[in-house]
Amino acid sequence: MKQMNVQQLNQLIPGTILLEGHASTLYTKAFASDLMSDVLRFQMEQTVLVTGLCTIQVLRTAEMSNITCIIFARGKRVSPDMLALAEEHHITLIESALTLFEISGRLYQGGLEPVYR
Amino acid sequence: MKFCYEITGGDFSAGGSASSQVKKTLKQFNIAPQVLRRIAVALYEAEMNVVAHAWRGSMCVNINVDHLSVVVEDEGPGIEDIDRAMEEGFSTATEEVRQMGFGAGMGLPNIRKNSDEMELTSTPGIGTRLTLTIRF
Ligand SMILES: Nc1ncnc2c1ncn2[C@@H]1O[C@H](COP(=O)(O)OP(=O)(O)O)[C@@H](O)[C@H]1O
Ligand SMILES: [Mg+2]
């Protein structure tokens, strides 16, 4: 199973790393969704969340489901509130101008797996 | 050990702070990470239901030796048909709720999945009460 750290996975996109939380975490999976209720249904350890939703609830969802890396797609800008919550919970934040589809494609090609098959 | 938190209906920016507090508190105990995640997810969906569907409410958690018991109570419109509300995909959420990433009707089914015992009762026009037990 392919494992990569934040720097390695960001090279696949590449986006802007706003905040580096758990620098030592190795990621093996990715999940793309704008629906937080869906994110909360799966085991998310070592999983990167890719989303076009840019609200404080994305951070709360990450906190509850142990997600430590979020990529915001389509040029969505993280608010100061979101940044503060991410800092508190050591969550890595990446902004990218690419679409959800393209980011997902690049991560998949790079070797990340879906949360289930 | 018992803790209670207030939940304000419609306040999406504060939604999740009660669950966050509980998770923080429980981290000090020797609880398996998987169990802690199940608790956090169930509490958060329950808290967001009060934020999304009710006027005001509270979350009380009681930390026991081998399990957590939770009561989430609210004043709000209540639920007419509990069985229907428990179905996957049933939702009366507003557009605002959907824009926050909720309102797909997956909350209650997921709360049930993540808890060992769940009881949901409601009086339409008065409010709703959810009790959960999650064993450590
Ligand atoms: N605390 C509550 N007060 C009133 N109605 C509720 C409450 N919790 C849930 N409901 C009703 O049950 C439905 C299903 O809830 P849920 O499965 O969490 O999905 P969602 O919140 O995404 O709509 C809601 O759309 C709402 O009609
Ligand atoms: Mg819900």
Side-chain angles (χ1 to χ4, degrees):
Chain A
M1 197 191 300
K2 185 106 174 191
Q3 303 195 334
M4 50 188 109
N5 63 26
V6 168
Q7 299 298 336
Q8 290 165 325
L9 78 90
N10 190 48
Q11 269 168 23
L12 299 169
I13 309 174
T16 310
I17 301 178
L18 295 182
L19 187 73
E20 205 166 332
H22 280 263
S24 63
T25 304
L26 293 174
Y27 297 92
T28 58
K29 296 174 290 180
F31 187 76
S33 180
D34 287 357
L35 185 61
M36 295 304 110
S37 278
D38 244 350
V39 177
L40 291 162
R41 291 167 64 210
F42 303 105
Q43 293 223 1
M44 287 291 169
E45 282 75 12
Q46 290 183 279
T47 304
V48 183
L49 174 63
V50 191
T51 184
L53 187 74
C54 198
T55 69
I56 197 90
Q57 295 308 329
V58 179
L59 272 301
R60 286 291 182 207
T61 299
E63 177 195 349
M64 300 307 159
S65 48
N66 302 334
I67 290 167
T68 59
C69 179
I70 308 171
I71 303 172
F72 293 96
R74 300 195 296 267
K76 296 284 169 67
R77 305 304 297 270
V78 169
S79 71
D81 288 19
M82 292 169 67
L83 201 62
L85 206 52
E87 245 161 22
E88 188 186 335
H89 297 287
H90 312 288
I91 297 170
T92 296
L93 301 183
I94 301 175
E95 281 178 349
S96 163
L98 305 181
T99 64
L100 210 59
F101 175 72
E102 186 164 2
I103 295 168
S104 302
R106 289 179 184 220
L107 296 180
Y108 186 85
Q109 213 163 28
L112 288 186
E113 307 237 340
V115 294
Y116 69 88
R117 278 190 196 278
Chain B
M1 225 184 306
K2 192 177 168 184
F3 304 90
C4 286
Y5 305 91
E6 308 246 304
I7 306 168
T8 310
D11 188 351
F12 286 95
S13 55
S17 49
S19 310
S20 175
Q21 292 294 321
V22 175
K23 190 177 184 191
K24 212 171 284 172
T25 304
L26 290 175
K27 267 187 186 161
Q28 300 159 24
F29 296 87
N30 191 20
I31 300 170
Q34 302 286 36
V35 176
L36 196 57
R37 184 179 55 81
R38 281 173 55 210
I39 293 169
V41 167
L43 292 189
Y44 180 49
E45 282 285 11
E47 182 174 359
M48 291 314 288
N49 274 353
V50 177
V51 174
H53 307 294
W55 324 131
R56 70 185 68 80
S58 64
M59 173 187 285
C60 290
V61 298
N62 204 337
I63 307 171
N64 301 286
V65 180
D66 61 350
H67 71 278
L68 182 76
S69 49
V70 185
V71 180
V72 180
E73 253 177 320
D74 69 58
E75 293 168 33
I79 303 173
E80 291 278 351
D81 186 341
I82 301 269
D83 290 341
R84 190 126 184 263
M86 290 295 303
E87 281 171 19
E88 283 196 6
F90 176 82
S91 177
T92 60
T94 59
E95 185 53 35
E96 188 195 9
V97 173
R98 295 220 174 82
Q99 277 167 10
M100 298 304 298
F102 292 86
M106 304 306 295
L108 289 173
N110 201 23
I111 292 169
R112 179 166 54 190
K113 199 184 95 186
N114 283 296
S115 51
D116 294 300
E117 284 166 40
M118 170 182 181
E119 193 184 1
L120 181 62
T121 54
S122 183
T123 312
I126 305 284
T128 302
R129 182 188 162 97
L130 175 72
T131 64
L132 303 175
T133 303
I134 299 167
R135 286 188 269 279
F136 297 144

